[in-house]
Amino acid sequence: MSNNAKVAAGGVAAGLILLIWLPWWAALLIVLGVPAATYLALDPSQRRRLRRVSRKEIGR
């Protein structure tokens, strides 16, 4: 199993656990808010690098 698959499986498991313990809107805020906050915490040069790498992988 690749690292990306492990991360995806862990994210799904965490999302299901959050849905059980929290209302659906709170779980949605956490699932969407954490990646957004992480992206906004990057320096502008790191954001450019991340976008460049993502575009290269899409264009394979």
Side-chain angles (χ1 to χ4, degrees):
M1 187 180 250
S2 71
N3 283 340
N4 286 341
K6 290 177 187 177
V7 170
V12 169
L16 290 174
I17 290 170
L18 285 174
L19 281 174
I20 291 170
W21 282 330
L22 297 172
W24 69 270
W25 57 269
L28 183 66
L29 281 176
I30 292 170
V31 168
L32 295 178
V34 170
T38 304
Y39 178 77
L40 292 174
L42 295 174
D43 293 334
S45 63
Q46 291 172 323
R47 289 182 198 166
R48 281 192 301 270
R49 183 175 173 204
L50 182 63
R51 284 193 303 263
R52 186 174 55 239
V53 168
S54 297
R55 271 183 264 157
K56 281 183 181 177
E57 290 180 358
I58 290 172
R60 280 186 178 180

